[in-house]
Amino acid sequence: MALRKAWNSLDRSTVGSVPDAYGLVEFGDGEGTVVRAEAGFLPDLLREELAYGDAEQVRWERAQSKDHAERLLDER
């Protein structure tokens, strides 16, 4: 199930505003369709996607730990 959160543009300001925490992140295209979901350290995931990916939007859910982030991904 997709996150029930608003999309944010994937740009440098969004990457700078993401918390230094683990979490579940969804990357979307320009129409709001989820193209990929990942669990991990949020700043690293967003920086990598901004530099090398093609997603236009992003949304995330903060997790308590790496294991919690992976559980959130498994429960999607």
Side-chain angles (χ1 to χ4, degrees):
M1 182 165 80
L3 294 175
R4 295 182 182 199
K5 297 187 177 238
W7 288 105
N8 296 292
S9 295
L10 182 57
D11 54 32
R12 294 179 87 170
S13 65
T14 302
V15 172
S17 70
V18 71
D20 287 337
Y22 286 96
L24 168 66
V25 62
E26 291 180 337
F27 296 107
D29 63 15
E31 297 178 12
T33 302
V34 176
V35 294
R36 188 174 64 264
E38 295 184 47
F41 191 64
L42 294 172
D44 291 347
L45 294 173
L46 269 65
R47 277 193 296 266
E48 184 175 335
E49 183 65 25
L50 183 63
Y52 304 110
D54 56 1
E56 297 178 38
Q57 301 183 85
V58 63
R59 57 188 174 192
W60 63 84
E61 182 172 336
R62 187 177 181 156
Q64 307 252 335
S65 66
K66 184 177 180 180
D67 289 338
H68 183 217
E70 291 171 359
R71 283 195 311 274
L72 290 172
L73 180 61
D74 290 341
E75 294 168 359
R76 255 182 107 249

